[in-house]
Amino acid sequence: MEKSVVVVRRETNGDDVEGREALFAQLKALSLELLSLSQTPQKDPAVIPELLSLLRRAPPSSLQSFFHYTLFPLLLLLDAAVACRNQGGGVVVPYRVSDKVAEGVVSCLEELLKKCHVGSVDQMVVIMKKLTSGAVLTPSEASEEFREGIIRCFRAMISGLVPCSDDSCGCKGTLGWPQLSDRGDCQTQKVSEFGLETTGECLLAFLQSHSALAAVGHWLSILLKVADAEASRGHRGSAHLRVEAFMTLRILVVKVTIVLCIQGLIHLSFLLVLKRQIQCYLTHEF
């Protein structure tokens, strides 16, 4: 796993080049505004809805080329949003990122992760760590929309992890999609649809490896705790957040735990109990 993933776009005509140049010009202007916003916060900046609209319109094949460029300022603002909400973090921040800005940032990040592949193991680890910091925030620290957005970002990222072309790679042990999962999140067709090629390390195999075991286990625990916390809040709890936590958990189980059981890194009994919990919820048995 020494090489980073390289995503190559096959250009077919001048229109593609012109379209990508126009997209870059817009992303550059908005990214600079985001960087400025991270230093001089505003309560309701126009740049975030403009960026979200652009990300939704942009074709994945073009947006992939500017993934790193767009990701950087979003992660900076996400860091700030989490730091000023983490009451036990001990980090002093000079300003507070408003709920509207924080929720807009995670919406933009989710859209970016839905359309683009993460570039390397190192980058995936960085994103996972930052999302983990947001996912552990309590209902008293962060809004429901922000916490749900964090989980949706994680879901988008792991949904986009696809098996590599190496037939001998361990990622081939992954099972198919859960019957009740949202297939709209499945991004396994992105490579063939847009003429993209990936070379280098397999991100899915890394997620299934011993190196990622602690992070995977932490996320399994986080998602179960989020669902349980919302249930314990009764009518004040969020059904949407609980569903999102369980659906993300369901996808994570399919992506990694079967292989980890085969490798002996997760006990089979744990997987069976976990699957039972998810199935009970989805069939309204508890």
Side-chain angles (χ1 to χ4, degrees), residues 20 40 49 97 106 128 131 142 155 161 167 174 209 214 241 271:
R20 290 176 68 250
T40 310
V97 179
V106 292
M128 285 183 67
L131 292 177
R155 180 179 178 181
L161 299 180
D167 293 335
T174 306
S209 70
L241 181 52
L271 176 60

Side-chain angles (χ1 to χ4, degrees), residues 110 113-115 151-162 177 181-190 244 247-248 251 255:
E110 178 195 357
L113 292 171
K114 277 183 177 180
K115 289 190 171 184
I151 293 176
R152 292 182 66 88
C153 286
F154 180 71
R155 180 179 178 181
M157 184 180 71
I158 63 173
S159 294
L161 299 180
V162 297
W177 280 78
S181 68
D182 182 1
R183 290 179 180 268
D185 280 349
C186 184
Q187 299 170 317
T188 57
Q189 301 301 318
K190 276 197 293 187
E244 189 60 41
M247 296 305 290
T248 303
I251 293 173
K255 289 285 184 179

Side-chain angles (χ1 to χ4, degrees), residues 148-210:
E148 182 178 342
I150 290 287
I151 293 176
R152 292 182 66 88
C153 286
F154 180 71
R155 180 179 178 181
M157 184 180 71
I158 63 173
S159 294
L161 299 180
V162 297
C164 66
S165 58
D166 185 355
D167 293 335
S168 64
C169 183
C171 67
K172 301 302 183 296
T174 306
L175 293 183
W177 280 78
Q179 183 179 359
L180 298 179
S181 68
D182 182 1
R183 290 179 180 268
D185 280 349
C186 184
Q187 299 170 317
T188 57
Q189 301 301 318
K190 276 197 293 187
V191 173
S192 60
E193 284 178 0
F194 300 106
L196 300 175
E197 295 177 355
T198 58
T199 60
E201 56 196 347
C202 177
L203 303 188
L204 185 55
F206 170 77
L207 196 66
Q208 298 166 347
S209 70
H210 189 277

Side-chain angles (χ1 to χ4, degrees), residues 24-237:
F24 176 69
Q26 295 176 76
L27 286 173
K28 180 178 180 181
L30 293 174
S31 295
L32 289 175
E33 288 190 53
L34 282 180
L35 289 173
S36 176
L37 182 62
S38 67
Q39 302 297 323
T40 310
Q42 302 174 34
K43 186 175 182 180
D44 187 16
V47 60
I48 292 180
E50 287 179 11
L51 177 60
L52 181 58
S53 177
L54 178 60
L55 293 174
R56 287 172 174 170
R57 298 194 313 269
S61 54
S62 298
L63 191 58
Q64 181 69 58
S65 300
F66 313 118
F67 175 67
H68 312 284
Y69 193 91
T70 311
L71 180 67
F72 178 69
L74 289 174
L75 292 183
L76 281 181
L77 278 170
L78 177 61
D79 275 342
V82 171
C84 68
R85 285 165 172 76
N86 187 359
Q87 298 173 1
V91 178
V92 179
V93 292
Y95 59 86
R96 177 174 176 82
V97 179
S98 70
D99 284 344
K100 189 164 186 177
V101 170
E103 292 159 14
V105 166
V106 292
S107 293
C108 290
L109 184 57
E110 178 195 357
E111 193 67 26
L112 186 65
L113 292 171
K114 277 183 177 180
K115 289 190 171 184
C116 300
H117 291 286
V118 176
S120 67
V121 164
D122 288 342
Q123 188 173 61
M124 183 170 71
V125 170
V126 168
I127 296 172
M128 285 183 67
K129 286 182 178 179
K130 294 182 182 300
L131 292 177
T132 300
S133 298
V136 297
L137 293 177
T138 65
S140 63
E141 292 175 320
S143 69
E144 171 190 327
E145 292 78 11
F146 180 74
R147 291 182 295 121
E148 182 178 342
I150 290 287
I151 293 176
R152 292 182 66 88
C153 286
F154 180 71
R155 180 179 178 181
M157 184 180 71
I158 63 173
S159 294
L161 299 180
V162 297
C164 66
S165 58
D166 185 355
D167 293 335
S168 64
C169 183
C171 67
K172 301 302 183 296
T174 306
L175 293 183
W177 280 78
Q179 183 179 359
L180 298 179
S181 68
D182 182 1
R183 290 179 180 268
D185 280 349
C186 184
Q187 299 170 317
T188 57
Q189 301 301 318
K190 276 197 293 187
V191 173
S192 60
E193 284 178 0
F194 300 106
L196 300 175
E197 295 177 355
T198 58
T199 60
E201 56 196 347
C202 177
L203 303 188
L204 185 55
F206 170 77
L207 196 66
Q208 298 166 347
S209 70
H210 189 277
S211 300
L213 181 60
V216 170
H218 193 192
W219 267 99
L220 291 171
S221 175
I222 287 173
L223 293 169
L224 286 171
K225 286 181 179 179
V226 167
D228 184 63
E230 294 306 312
S232 66
R233 296 177 68 206
H235 68 278
R236 294 183 296 112

